[in-house]
């Protein structure tokens, strides 16, 4: 099992070659979307958000939003450390938090951000060309994490 430092080091080492690999096969825009999501996935949306990890601490005062996740999702369970499922749960969770904040603020006529499930679904349906590299970036960072931990459900 790797430490948080090793996971972060892998993200930093692989970011540049992956960026150029994606440019080679696709284009600059796809590469930017992919690499930003790869870095965010590896540094802020790690499978280790259910522990007192470096990614959790990186959220600073906002780490409180991960308390329900940490309570419900057990470390190294299928829900946190299974390919695709773990990433989908973390992405859905953070989107749910954003929707909740937006809807709560709108009750008080504070419209800093307007985000709701309809907006999210519309974006997903309207921009699959952007969703796919974003999703793959987050997922590949998670898979690298799992490979470093030698932890796959097979």
């Amino acid at each position: 099992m790797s430490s948080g430092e090793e996971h972060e080091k892998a993200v930093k080492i692989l970011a540049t070659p992956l960026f150029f690999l994606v440019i080679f096969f696709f284009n600059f825009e796809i590469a930017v979307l992919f690499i930003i999501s790869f870095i965010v996935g590896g540094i802020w949306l790690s499978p280790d958000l259910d522990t007192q990890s470096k990614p959790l601490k990186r959220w600073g005062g906002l780490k409180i939003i991960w308390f329900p996740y940490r309570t419900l999702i057990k470390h190294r369970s299928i829900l946190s450390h299974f390919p695709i499922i773990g990433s989908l749960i973390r992405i859905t969770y953070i989107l749910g938090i954003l929707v909740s904040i937006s809807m709560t603020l709108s009750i008080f006529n504070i419209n800093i951000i307007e985000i709701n499930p309809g907006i999210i679904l519309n974006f997903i349906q309207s921009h699959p060309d952007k969703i796919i590299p974003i999703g793959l970036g987050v997922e590949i960072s998670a898979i690298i994490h799992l490979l470093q931990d030698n932890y796959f459900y097979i």
Side-chain angles (χ1 to χ4, degrees), residues 9 11 46 54 60 78 80 91 95 108 119:
K9 184 177 176 183
V11 169
S46 161
K54 197 169 184 181
I78 286 178
S80 69
I91 290 168
L95 288 174
F108 301 103
I119 290 172

Side-chain angles (χ1 to χ4, degrees), residues 110-128:
I110 302 170
N111 296 313
I112 298 170
I113 58 169
E114 186 177 334
I115 185 168
N116 61 53
I119 290 172
I120 294 168
L121 290 175
N122 185 43
F123 184 81
I124 291 168
Q125 291 170 346
S126 302
H127 301 287

Side-chain angles (χ1 to χ4, degrees), residues 2 9 15-16 29 38 46-47 57-58 64 66-67 77 79 93-94 107-108 125 136 138-139 142 144-145 151 153:
S2 293
K9 184 177 176 183
T16 301
E29 180 186 12
F38 175 79
S46 161
K57 292 175 184 161
R58 202 171 267 118
I64 193 165
W66 291 101
F67 180 75
S77 72
L79 300 178
Y93 181 84
I94 197 67
I107 292 170
F108 301 103
Q125 291 170 346
L136 285 174
V138 171
E139 183 56 27
I144 290 167
H145 179 106
Y151 201 77
Y153 285 92

Side-chain angles (χ1 to χ4, degrees), residues 1-75:
M1 176 174 62
S2 293
S3 70
E5 295 292 327
E6 292 298 315
H7 293 308
E8 191 170 307
K9 184 177 176 183
V11 169
K12 290 176 181 176
I13 289 171
L14 292 172
T16 301
L18 283 172
F19 178 74
F20 287 110
L21 185 68
V22 175
I23 286 176
F24 181 77
F25 286 104
F26 298 98
N27 61 46
F28 183 78
E29 180 186 12
I30 297 295
V32 169
L33 291 170
F34 172 84
I35 211 62
I36 288 172
S37 64
F38 175 79
I39 292 167
V40 168
I43 305 235
W44 282 282
L45 293 176
S46 161
D48 289 342
L49 281 171
D50 53 1
T51 66
Q52 284 294 336
S53 62
K54 197 169 184 181
L56 181 67
K57 292 175 184 161
R58 202 171 267 118
W59 283 84
L62 293 176
K63 74 180 180 180
I64 193 165
I65 66 174
W66 291 101
F67 180 75
Y69 175 87
R70 294 180 64 227
T71 303
L72 296 170
I73 307 291
K74 300 301 174 212
H75 188 56

